[in-house]
Amino acid sequence: MKHLISPMDLTPEELSELLSLAQDIMKDPERYRHVCDGKKLATCFYEPSTRTRLSFEAAMLNLGGSVLGFQSADSSSAAKGESVSDTIQIISYYADICAMRHPKEGAPFVASKHARIPVINAGDGGHNHPTQTLTDLLTILELKGRLDNMTIGLCGDLKFGRTVHSLINAMVRYPGIRFVLISPEELRIPAYLKEEVLDEMGIPYKEVRSLDEVMPELDILYMTRVQRERFFNEEDYIRLKNSFILTPEKMKLAKEDMFVLHPLPRVNEISVEVDNDPRAAYFRQAGFGVYARMALIILMLGLKDRIPQA
Amino acid sequence: MLNIGGLHQGVVIDHIKPGQGMQIYEYLELGKLDCCVAIIKNASSNKMGRKDIIKIEGPIQVNLDTLAVLDPDITLNIIENDVIVEKRTVRLPEEVTNILRCKNPRCITSIEQELPHRFRLTNKEKRIYRCVYCEQKYKETNI
């Protein structure tokens, strides 16, 4: 595995290996404490992110490695007009692996073409966010014990929500998956995903405009935020941001073993009263993200042979 | 009917949508060639009613199949020693560079001017090209 730019860069076998490694780390994190001793992770973040960057840094620190990097384009040489390809060539001398977030779509792909170290896409605009997908898959696997045969509800911003697009692409590889797409008309899933992925592969799905009517069917409810930065127009954002809010009343309609996921941060699409419901799994999900990234770093650096025997 | 002489050696780009001849001329940078080039606008066509035609005397180095991206109905007649040696439609190339421009304002190409605009053919039947960076679908208005 040289770079991770799109969730689809991982074969089902690589994905399976990564998820079982992450589960193994979870069971015995102490055993992995020194796997990345002497290795450095560069976090090149051209736009602000709290959770993803800290999750990457926590993952590397948990493995005994160290981290360096920048947190915004203003504090990097991009502010002076340096290209992504130039930056990554230099970073390749400073670090062993790089996690890159960039507001422009395709920037980590450009970096991967010029890097001498593995590049992980930590989110590029509204395009891909593969480590969020790994986090989502690990969460579903941990909570449900499987990745196949379930109904997944995706709610909120399905048009610009990159995590939703990536999750669909990843889940269609498992048998028995059905999607319920819950969004306002303006934020429906892009036509290409329906035509080229769902229809093409014969995956059952339905599009609805209300959460209530479908709650009892769901095994997983994946909530998303209506993101201000994805809109060019403030009026559209304000009009749509309050759509589809999850409340304790709606949770009463759901199965006992349904789980609510959210890539976070949430704004108001999940009422805080839902947090105490044992089915609210979004904070645990953020925790699983660290383990998914730990497994990814080990595999991308080729350090499996450094893992001590159990 | 206006008559343009036949070619001894060269290429006839035929069945161009009427009015698109100049665009093809500009795209192929035919103005930079020293050889004889003729653009025929609104020629009558049994198949299309009207069509544009470009005749180029002499060799041309450009991969003419890239024209398929602009107009898939174009046909090419390759002429050698006054004889048509090959007559064929253009074939969609797997990848094109700097022919289509990505207009996605969120694409990395929108801020890094030196990056080549590369599009890959992702669906041959539906003639769908996607930007290799942001995967945005190419639309007619991108030309």
Side-chain angles (χ1 to χ4, degrees):
Chain A
M1 193 193 314
K2 178 68 179 145
H3 306 286
L4 182 65
I5 303 302
S6 149
M8 305 312 283
D9 289 348
L10 296 171
T11 63
E13 293 73 30
E14 287 172 326
L15 187 57
S16 166
E17 182 187 19
L18 190 148
L19 294 175
S20 23
L21 179 58
Q23 289 185 300
D24 196 59
I25 297 170
M26 259 187 269
K27 279 184 218 138
D28 187 3
E30 198 54 41
R31 198 153 57 86
Y32 291 83
R33 198 62 72 195
H34 298 287
V35 173
C36 284
D37 278 0
K39 299 291 180 185
K40 291 190 289 285
L41 165 76
T43 49
C44 300
F45 277 58
Y46 289 81
E47 68 175 359
S49 154
T50 315
R51 209 174 18 273
T52 305
R53 185 174 56 82
L54 293 182
S55 179
F56 267 110
E57 294 186 359
M60 193 51 161
L61 294 173
N62 287 347
L63 293 166
S66 21
V67 294
L68 66 163
F70 54 86
Q71 301 176 30
S72 75
D74 295 342
S75 60
S76 78
S77 50
K80 298 174 193 161
E82 186 174 66
S83 67
V84 167
S85 56
D86 281 5
T87 303
I88 193 66
Q89 291 191 64
I90 296 152
I91 300 285
S92 297
Y93 286 110
Y94 300 162
D96 301 287
I97 187 167
C98 171
M100 177 178 286
R101 166 162 292 192
H102 201 290
K104 293 295 180 183
E105 300 171 5
F109 172 74
V110 172
S112 72
K113 294 292 168 199
H114 296 88
R116 291 185 306 280
I117 56 175
V119 174
I120 302 169
N121 180 0
D124 59 338
H127 187 212
N128 280 320
H129 192 359
T131 58
Q132 181 64 50
T133 309
L134 296 178
T135 301
D136 298 340
L137 294 177
L138 181 61
T139 305
I140 295 171
L141 183 61
E142 270 296 296
L143 297 175
K144 303 294 289 183
R146 66 180 195 278
L147 287 170
D148 52 11
N149 295 304
M150 63 179 83
T151 297
I152 301 173
L154 301 159
C155 178
D157 175 4
L158 308 188
K159 183 178 181 182
F160 298 108
R162 61 185 168 195
T163 55
V164 167
H165 304 169
S166 297
L167 186 60
I168 289 175
N169 274 312
M171 291 302 295
V172 294
R173 302 204 280 194
Y174 299 96
I177 295 298
R178 175 176 168 264
F179 292 104
V180 179
L181 309 168
I182 312 143
S183 75
E185 182 68 30
E186 293 87 340
L187 295 176
R188 283 170 62 188
I189 201 158
Y192 81 87
L193 258 179
K194 281 191 279 184
E195 292 162 12
E196 294 175 33
V197 180
L198 298 175
D199 293 340
E200 183 95 6
M201 298 180 72
I203 307 292
Y205 68 93
K206 66 176 176 182
E207 292 187 278
V208 297
R209 302 279 163 265
S210 147
L211 252 177
D212 299 51
E213 60 180 290
V214 293
M215 284 299 277
E217 306 171 30
L218 307 178
D219 297 303
I220 292 286
L221 171 59
Y222 195 92
M223 296 292 295
T224 61
R225 175 169 62 106
V226 175
Q227 298 183 68
R228 185 192 295 266
E229 62 265 32
R230 302 291 170 230
F231 284 85
F232 293 117
N233 180 333
E234 186 73 9
E235 280 174 26
D236 283 350
Y237 169 70
I238 291 166
R239 186 166 53 83
L240 293 169
K241 72 171 181 166
N242 290 337
S243 308
F244 306 91
I245 294 173
L246 183 64
T247 59
E249 288 68 44
K250 290 194 181 81
M251 287 297 284
K252 285 179 190 155
L253 304 169
K255 290 179 191 169
E256 282 299 306
D257 62 348
M258 187 275 283
F259 287 99
V260 182
L261 273 60
H262 191 305
L264 302 178
R266 94 176 129 183
V267 182
N268 61 348
E269 60 279 1
I270 302 177
S271 139
V272 288
E273 290 94 70
V274 176
D275 293 358
N276 293 327
D277 191 308
R279 296 168 294 179
Y282 28 92
F283 295 125
R284 275 177 281 166
Q285 184 184 356
F288 290 134
V290 177
Y291 296 108
R293 291 179 177 97
M294 287 170 77
L296 180 66
I297 290 169
I298 292 172
L299 293 177
M300 289 187 82
L301 286 175
L303 298 177
K304 269 200 314 181
D305 54 350
R306 285 201 192 176
I307 302 167
Q309 291 296 312
Chain B
M1 172 85 183
L2 177 69
N3 279 321
I4 306 277
L7 299 179
H8 173 63
Q9 178 152 357
V11 183
V12 177
I13 305 171
D14 202 356
H15 298 109
I16 302 169
K17 281 194 190 78
Q20 228 182 32
M22 272 313 287
Q23 194 186 349
I24 304 282
Y25 179 88
E26 299 286 354
Y27 162 65
L28 293 175
E29 298 185 324
L30 299 178
K32 292 181 181 172
L33 296 181
D34 291 331
C35 60
C36 184
V37 177
I39 304 179
I40 304 161
K41 285 187 67 178
N42 297 321
S44 58
S45 161
N46 292 336
K47 196 164 93 178
M48 302 167 66
R50 299 263 170 208
K51 65 179 180 179
D52 287 3
I53 305 169
I54 297 176
K55 293 188 174 189
I56 307 160
E57 177 86 49
I60 176 166
Q61 302 304 321
V62 179
N63 175 10
L64 292 171
D65 279 320
T66 58
L67 293 176
V69 180
L70 305 180
D71 182 349
D73 298 322
I74 282 175
T75 56
L76 301 174
N77 297 333
I78 314 295
I79 294 155
E80 286 174 16
N81 299 319
D82 303 309
V83 178
I84 298 176
V85 292
E86 190 183 358
K87 187 168 186 162
R88 64 173 176 87
T89 53
V90 280
R91 292 182 281 262
L92 284 172
E94 287 298 317
E95 192 172 312
V96 290
T97 301
N98 291 334
I99 290 173
L100 311 172
R101 294 196 69 78
C102 185
K103 297 284 182 177
N104 176 7
R106 299 182 180 97
C107 181
I108 184 68
T109 54
S110 70
I111 57 163
E112 297 211 352
Q113 310 300 329
E114 78 288 357
L115 282 173
H117 284 240
R118 289 169 52 202
F119 278 75
R120 193 170 292 144
L121 182 64
T122 56
N123 189 320
K124 208 168 185 174
E125 277 172 28
K126 294 181 183 166
R127 299 180 54 237
I128 294 171
Y129 279 89
R130 289 190 183 279
C131 172
V132 298
Y133 306 104
C134 67
E135 296 182 271
Q136 182 98 339
K137 189 173 165 180
Y138 148 76
K139 297 190 183 100
E140 292 290 331
T141 51
N142 282 138
I143 297 175

